[in-house]
Structure formats: structure tokens, C-alpha cells
Amino acid sequence: LQRAAAWFEHGEMVLSALFYQSRCTRNDVLTFLMFQLFINNEWQDAVSGKTFPTINPASGEVICQVAEADEADVEKAVKAASNAFRLGSPWRRMDASHRGLLLNRLADAIERDAAYLAELETLDNGKPYAVAYAVDLPTVVKCLRYYAGWADKWEGKTIPIDGDYFCYTRHEPVGVCGQIIPWNFPLLMQAWKLGPALATGNTVVMKVAEQTPLTALYVASLIKEVGFPEGVVNILPGMGPTAGAAIARHMDVDKVAFTGSTEVGHLIQQASGSSNLKKVTLELGGKSPNIILSDADMEYAVEQSHFALFFNQGQCCCAGSRTYVQADVYDEFVERSVERAKKRVVGDPFDLKTEQGPQIDQEQFNKILGYISSGKREGAKLMCGGGIAADRGYFIQPTVFGDVQDNMTIAREEIFGPVMQILKFKTLEEVVTRANDTKYGLAAAVFTKDIDKANYVSSGLRAGTVWINCYDVFGAQAPFGGYKASGVGRELGQYGLDNYTEVKTVNTVPIKNLFSALVVCLLHTSLPLCTVLSAAVFPPKNDKKAKFLLFSTKKFNLQNA
Amino acid sequence: RIGCLTEDLLSVLRVKKIHFNNNFAYLINLKCPNYLLFLQIFINNEWQDSVSGKVFPVYNPATGEQICEVQEADKADVDKAVQAARLAFSLGSVWRRMDASERGRLLSKLADLVERDSVYLATIESLDSGKPFLPTLFVDLQGTIKTLRYFAGYADKIHGTSIPMDGEYLTFTRYEPIGVCGQIVPWNFPLMMTAWKLGPALACGNTVVLKPAEETPLTCLYMAALIKEAGFPPGVINILPGFGPTAGAAIASHMGIDKVAFTGSTEVGKLIQEAAGKSNLKRVTLELGGKNPNIIFADADLDLAVEEAHQGVFFNAGQCCTAGSRIYVEEPIYDEFVRRSVERAKRRIVGSPFDPMTEQGPQISREHQSRVLEFIQSGITEGAKLECGGKALGLKGFFIEPTVFSNVRDDMRIAREEIFGPVQQIMKFKTIDEVIERANNSDYGLVAAVFTKDISKAMTISTAMQAGTVWINCFNALSTQCPFGGYKMSGNGREMGENGLKEYSEVKTITIKMVAKNS
């Protein structure tokens, strides 16, 4: 309440009501939200005038209507972003360290408004407030600070190339980057995308998930507040098939980064291929194996495996949704996991005791319930849960399946809900083979006290991240991304910068006497170089020698061809 | 506020002792503003008097008057500081257990605090070192803030590697802090040099025992207060004002110090390296003197070249290790270049550091002033042509006229030794090979510059120079992102940039036996 009073004094926004939103009416909240498109540092309605409702998944009620971006709005945003990226623009002329400073200021502003943002995130997404405030928000701030530091450290190289040349590389921004982010960690995914893109000097057209546009739009207001130039970041709430598709196939978008389902990932890459071959990075689904060896600390492994699957209502691409347990501890592990799942507190996300809130929307809710019945149908043993957990909102009981076989649907497809599959294995070789037998390869974990076994499993697994005796350990410093159909490229860490960088190789001729270089090249029959050098030594007009050299070079190349 | 600080106001300077944070601080009453100065030794986040009880005076070089007295650290104080730093570095300590990103956060906070107090810091820097206030605010303070921010960003980006070694092994490297680092900083850029030293040392996770120069301890001690305010754990940074032969030597030869970094004269640099050799083979990095060639070709933009060459040598009253103090000018433009340089030097405004028009303040001390004047005398004696300046200026303070010598020969003292004052030497050259040979014929190798429009000449010179930094068509273009340091007797190692981190890291190679290795 004190915080709210402070906001009120600033004339910005009052949000005490929000804290109790699950019990209050829409009108208490509406006035404090940004619900338009953010283009060129301005708030705009959609060209079509259309809006869509965003829903509180804990109650199923509409929070507010949000402007719905469409192809026409993407067009406007790309224009703004292209203009912000033009040669000589304030953004292009800005010192790299100043880009870093702006990102740092954005982190500071988010930290200042963390309590509000966490409330808004919980309201729109349904994740427990305690988690939003203690996990999502600090990681967002840290991610932005991390990339703030990279801005002036993303160095090219000078290269000792053969011959009398001076060669260096410059790391230049790719250009206008389309970014499409999911609804499971709306703020965090936004930071993962903006951090590296802005640190490296790109401009951004971001589409936020239609389920959770509110926090991203609030961050847009902070982006303006801290002083990013117009058009550098544009944020468009909208639907995938319209706004998302428009970004993916846009001829002036130089790069697209998408986090979401593998299914849509395929479409994005296709759209790139059929338009301008824009660079594509994808963070997609997973069916991540979590391997528990019999020598592991049982209590710890049970708790971590529970967390690995149920964290964020099971709505994590890296959820440990295939828990492989060694045969001699299998029964005990299942028993304890069921016991733990039964204790999981499902309820009002604003209640600080709540561990699990609602699923994001009706569609996911139905899909998960469908998977649960397929599990039962295909013969897995339902140990607990399996049903709806409340009479309104999209709550699902924490569900555990025992005796799961590798070929069951629930062991092959991404459920994205609070449904745990526990499978049995005997030997290390067997479990590595079975764990790798999936189209996905996002994350994996192994629990054991034996260093040899840990090394064997961690190097044998085909996954972008392997956790040893821990799960869901993320740091802005450590890269994250998928093998196989779990994605293309890596986010976070220094690796994350690669996706937002074009490398330019610059060669110059430093020597005094170009002709001597030409002779050297001739002696070494380095004819392609001769072409360049002869043009430099003998201005091509009216010079027989030059013509001769060029001709012979051409002839040589033809012969080669 | 700046206008208030004319010399007659400084003359009524009074010092008052006040209570501050359970310690003593001192208020200096300059009639208008009140000055908060820290005059004690900073060990373990506490302000302490020296063990010996000794103090030393600090002077305002613009007036020659004493500002205040500062506690004088000696060997006994260095021992205390090293003990504190060792404790702060012990395994399991708050500092060692801290996330790298949190170290960065603290450095970032320190930068914010320096930014908050930058006008004040610039004021006492000017008062204590005599450098003009405005350049201090825009160059020194900005440089300090940017350096701290830059290294703040690096704290969690100091990557080891994992290595595909032969055999059934997994190998990876960790960049670990070296330990307790002794750092000795000079008086020409007191704050900025402090930041250059602290930034990489703290980003890498070391602890520090830092000795500021006895001429200019005040801003560094104020920074100590900000360090405490930012929340660095006790003992991570210890700041000991004192003299080289006592406190400095104690640091260099201390068995409990793992690394020493020194910026100052080549003469003292040698002593530091010797002391390290005689004691515990501590790692040594040195940023030392220079006698830097600045090569002007006939095709250069003459206006730019004259101005940059002028600033290149006269900036900070000539008290820069980077000073471009050997200016080689190509024959066809030599006379014109000398004429314009003299004209520019005559226009240089020497005066009170607090006058916004002032370009050049006093030299740092009476002793240094005499040394520079003695160099000027030697130039005249050895036959160089004194084009302008050459004398002390004013009755009070340690001012020297901007001085230009032409017809300087390479074997003259003013062409071989570092003057560290406002004295410009202009030489003539004919060919590019000749100038390369002459420019490199020096014990030093800190920086060099070349002015030309011809990209080939520029690249030829820049690759041929035996110097740690080469500027093309610019001078003193230093930035925290770019490594800086000397070839030959201008130093060991590099500061700033990513290279700066290597000097504060030990690499640990960890190899694990694997059962069955796969690619």
C-alpha cells in the first residue's frame, strides 16, 4: 500500500487494488494498464481498430481489451524500426557503452516497479505472485544488466591474414529483429530477447503472446521512460497467425527470434525461407529426461524432480517430463513423488502459500486434460490427481503417472501442464539411449553421487543444457537452447550475442608499394588477389598491363571452373 | 560554486574536525562551500590513524599552500591492510562466496555514487592536483565512471573454457582471482588511475591494498567513503595514503601480497620489479613513462595535426605518460608546423584551475616544477631553439609557461628523457623509413601517433611502431574498452579492455578422468 501511495504521488498509477484483483472488479484495474500498440515510442490503436480480451486465468474473467496488431501494424512497426536503424540515426551513432547504460537504466526502472510488474504478471498469467516477485522479476533485472555489460565488449578481431593485408572484423547489428515471445514467462522471455538484441545495437519489432500482453506493454512504457530512441523497440500485442506470421514473412525484417511450440517453429522457419531468408533462432518445445540413479540422495532427487516438472504449472519448455528412475529405487521414488504432489498447494495465485496457479487458458486446460485421459487409456498408472482443481479458472490437480512406457503419448509429446511421468530403467547405457530417443533435445538432468556416472550421462545426452544434481538452474551468463527439434541457436550468455550479430570482415592493403605486392601474388599464383591488386595498382582504364592481368585472371578462373 | 573558488578565497581556508560515521572527518571552510574530506587511512572499511601517528601535508599546487594534513601510512599500516585484505579473500568469505554478477553490481553502484558526487570530486581533484576543473569534470570523472561501469559489466563474463584434450579426460579452465593485490597509483590522474586499478581487480574478485600518491590522496580517500557506502565487504579495498619509499616499498616487497600493479616512473617501476623478485615473485604489472613519437606527414590535415599535437603534449600541463613529446614533422611542412604550433602555444591560457577559461593549471609540486625548468635549461644549452615560453609563471603556485622547442636533435636530453611538463619538442624528418627508425629508437614504447591522409602510410607506421597504442589522426583517444600499456621500458602488461582482466586472474586448469569419452 505504501508503494501504491508512492505511485499515486508520482501521478503514475495506483495499484493497491491489483493485489486483491482476484476478488475485485475489472474497473478497479483498467485505468492503470497500457493496452495499445507501442510503435515509435508512441501508443497507438490498431489500424483495423480491433481489440482482443486478455483474461485472468485464475477466474476466467476478462481483465481488459487490448489493441490487436495485424499485418498493417507490423508494417508500421517495421518502418519505425528500419528508420531507427538507418545509417546515421541516433541509435546507430550511439556509443556502445551508452546502449549499455540505457539497458542498465531499464533494469533499474524494472527493479523499481518490480512489485507492480509481479502483480500484473500474476494477474495476466496466473503464476503465483510469490514466484513472479521472487523469481521472474529478479531474473529479468539480472538478464538486462548482464547484457548491458556486453554492449561495449562485443569485440571483433584483427586477423593475421596471409599477404600484405591488414584484416579485421567488426561485429555489426543484424538490423530489424522480429521477436515473438510466449506466455509462460512473459517478462523474462521479453528480457531474454531484448537484452542481446539491444546490446548489439539492433532494433526490435516484438510480438507478445495474446494471453499475456500486459507486462510487456508496461515495460514498453519504461523503455520510453529511460530514453531509448524512437523506433528502437516496438511492441505489438497480437495473434500468431496474423501479426506473428506478418513478422516472420516480412521482407524488411532481417532476423526473427521465436520462442514457443515446435509446431509454430516449423512455420517460422518456412516463412523465412519463402520470404527473404531472414536469420532464424528458435527456442521450442522439449520432453526433457530427468534421470535418477539409485545412488542419488533420494529426498533431494524427489523434491528436485517435483520442482522440475511442476514449476510454473508445468508450463516450462524445459520441464523434466520424463523422469527416469533406476529400477531398485523406482517404487520408493514413485511413492514419495506422489506424496509430494499431493502436498502441492494449488490455489489463488495471490495467496503467498500457493505453489501452483491456473493453466494459462481454456485451450491449454483442455489439451492437458486430454493428455491425462490418453495416459490412462494407454495403460499408465494414474497415481494421483488427474482432474480439475477448482470450479472456476483453469486449475488442474498435480498429476503423477507411474509405469509409463516410452511409446505412450504422454511420454512422447509435450504436455505443458502439471503432469509427471515416471519411467523405470536398469542400466546407464539403456537410459541414455531411451532418453535420447526423442525429437526434442532441450534440457536433461541426472541425479547421482558418482562423478563417473554423472560425466557419462551428461556427455551422452543430446540436449542443450544438462543439469547435474539440480534442475532449472538458469543464469543470464549460461547459454540455453535446444538440440534437434527443440530449437536453433542459443540464448543467454555470450553465445546469445551471436544470433544478433553480422560479422563484417574488412581487409585493407597497408603496404607502401602495391606493385610489389602484386609481384608477390603473381609469384605465389594467388590470382584472385591479383585481380584486386591490379585494379589498385593500374587504374583499369587505358592500361594494357592491367587489362592483361585481369584477362589472365579471368581465364584462369574459367579454367578452374 | 566554481567562481567562488578564486585564490583569495582559498587563502582563508580553514579546517574543522567533525564527527562522521563514528569517525573523524574534516570540514574545510572555504567560506562558500563546505568541504568534506577524509584524511585517515581506510582499512577494513574503517577510518584509522597511522600506527606511527605520523601525518603529512597536502598542498594546493595552484597556490603552494597547505590544504590539510593526511595520515601517513607506513610498513606497519601496510601489514594491517594486508591482513584485512587476506581475511577478506579467505576461502568462504563474503567476498569469495559472492556471485560474480553481484560484484559487478557493487562496482556499478560505486560508479553511480561517483557520478552522484562528481562535481564535488572534480572540485577536490582540481584543488589537490591543480588540474583545471572543467577537464577534470568532463575527462577524469567521466573516465572514472565509465571505467567502473565497464568492469562492472565484465564481472560475470570472465569465461574459462572447456577443452577437448587428448585422452579420456574432461578439462576445463576457471579464471580465479589472484588474491591480495597491491596497487600504487600516480598523481597525474588520481581518480581515474584509481578506477583503472580497482575496476579490473574487483571485477575479477581480488582484494586490494591501494596506495594513492602522496601529492594527491584526497579524492582517492573520498572514493574510499563511497566504496563503503556502495556496500563492499570490509577488507576488500584498503586505501593507504603514504610515500613510495616507505608504504610503496612495503607493498612491493610484502610476502602476503600476490600481485602488485604500479603506475608511475620507469625508475620506480624497476624498483617494484626488483622488490617482487626479491620477495615472493608476486605478479607485476607496470604502466611507466613514455617519450612518445607523434609523426606528422606533409599530407596531413595541418589544422587538425597542429591542434592534436598541441593537446597531445600540453594536456594536463604535460603531465601525461602518453604525452606526444617527440613530434616528427615531414620536411616540406616543418616550418609552417612550427610557426602554427608556437602561435597555438602562445594562446594557451595558463591560470587558476577554477577559472573556466583555463587550459593549463600548475605543475604538481615545487620539486616537479624545478625539474621541468631544469629540462628546459638543458634544451637551451644543448642547442635546441626555444620558440616560446621557457619560464616559471606567477609568484604563487607551480606554473610553467607553455614551451616550444624547434630544431631538436634526437640525442638531446629533451628528446630522450621524459619531461612530464608543458614542453613541446619538434623534429624534422625526410623519409618514412627514417622516421620509423628514429621514432623507435627509444627505451620507451607507450604510445605513438601518425597524422596522414594516406591509408598506406598510416598502416605502415602503425604496424612499425614499437608502442602499446598507436593513434591515427587523433591523440589521447583513450577509452576503457581499449587496452593500454607499454612496449619495452614503458611497462609490463595491459590495463583496460578485456586484456586488463587477464592481469588480475590466475587460470586454473581442472582435469577430470572420464570413463568413456565422446565428442
Side-chain angles (χ1 to χ4, degrees), chain A residues 146-147 192 465 467 473-481 490-496, chain B residues 156 159:
Chain A
Y146 176 78
Y147 281 108
W192 283 23
T465 296
W467 289 295
V473 176
F474 283 91
Q477 301 88 359
F480 179 77
R490 292 291 178 274
E491 290 188 290
L492 300 186
Q494 184 175 355
Y495 296 86
Chain B
D156 58 357
H159 297 149

Side-chain angles (χ1 to χ4, degrees), chain A residues 57-100:
Chain A
S59 64
E61 285 166 4
V62 174
I63 302 168
C64 62
Q65 294 285 330
V66 175
E68 182 182 337
D70 207 332
E71 184 159 10
D73 306 288
V74 169
E75 195 61 46
K76 276 170 75 178
V78 171
K79 275 215 179 87
S82 301
N83 188 45
F85 192 74
R86 75 183 187 280
L87 219 55
S89 74
W91 182 240
R92 292 294 295 280
R93 300 263 307 129
M94 188 180 283
D95 279 344
S97 69
H98 197 77
R99 290 202 304 268

Side-chain angles (χ1 to χ4, degrees), chain A residues 466-486:
Chain A
V466 178
W467 289 295
I468 300 177
N469 291 331
C470 53
Y471 208 98
D472 273 349
V473 176
F474 283 91
Q477 301 88 359
F480 179 77
Y483 278 44
K484 300 191 273 184
S486 284

Side-chain angles (χ1 to χ4, degrees), chain A residues 39-40 72-86 176 203-205 230-232 234 250 252-253:
Chain A
I39 297 176
N40 224 9
D73 306 288
V74 169
E75 195 61 46
K76 276 170 75 178
V78 171
K79 275 215 179 87
S82 301
N83 188 45
F85 192 74
R86 75 183 187 280
V176 177
T203 59
V204 168
V205 175
E230 291 170 359
V232 170
N234 305 279
H250 202 290
D252 296 327
V253 171

